[in-house]
Amino acid sequence: QVQLVESGGGLVQAGGSLRLSCVVSGKICRINAMAWYRQAPGKQRELVAVITSSGNTNYADSVRGRFTICRDNAKNMVFLQMNSLKSEDAAVYYCNANYLSIWTGTPTERWGQGTQVTVSS
């Protein structure tokens, strides 16, 4: 089975940095796009950053200039470098992958279970 596993979350002081990682395991044909979402208590899940197969990136206005999404195609991994963290960045961060299934040959979407980011002030 194809699975996504996030790591790198934790407790950080405001103004600090964290790097989140997500690895896609299992047999796939190729990854079309990967993204990071986040959800804070009482809030809707929101898109933080996305990177496409062509390398194009998009960021939420709230994180642009502070967060950077990067990928390692050879390792089927995506990273989110978070700098200058604010209290409003605290949330569970989820990795999302859109990939071409090796079994069906069709696009498939998968979510990770999330990693907690806590920002103290």
Side-chain angles (χ1 to χ4, degrees), residues 44-58:
Q44 291 183 313
R45 185 173 297 188
E46 64 174 340
L47 176 66
V48 177
V50 60
I51 185 166
T52 68
S53 60
S54 63
N56 293 328
T57 59
N58 286 291

Side-chain angles (χ1 to χ4, degrees), residues 5-115:
V5 180
E6 304 99 333
S7 63
L11 174 64
V12 63
Q13 292 185 344
S17 299
L18 281 176
R19 181 173 63 90
L20 306 183
S21 301
C22 174
V23 60
V24 180
S25 63
K27 300 293 185 180
I28 62 172
C29 182
R30 70 165 184 263
I31 295 175
N32 299 319
M34 297 191 73
W36 287 97
Y37 289 75
R38 68 186 182 188
Q39 187 168 24
K43 301 288 185 67
Q44 291 183 313
R45 185 173 297 188
E46 64 174 340
L47 176 66
V48 177
V50 60
I51 185 166
T52 68
S53 60
S54 63
N56 293 328
T57 59
N58 286 291
Y59 297 91
D61 290 339
S62 60
V63 307
R64 186 174 292 108
R66 299 187 297 118
F67 291 10
T68 303
I69 186 169
C70 299
R71 67 180 183 180
D72 186 335
N73 293 334
K75 297 181 179 179
N76 289 333
M77 296 186 70
V78 65
F79 306 90
L80 185 68
Q81 179 65 45
M82 305 184 294
N83 297 327
S84 302
L85 283 162
K86 306 174 181 179
S87 59
E88 52 263 42
D89 294 319
V92 177
Y93 283 72
Y94 297 90
C95 182
N96 174 271
N98 182 282
Y99 63 94
L100 185 64
S101 173
I102 196 171
W103 306 113
T104 67
T106 57
T108 306
E109 191 171 87
R110 192 78 69 181
W111 290 89
Q113 292 188 330
T115 184

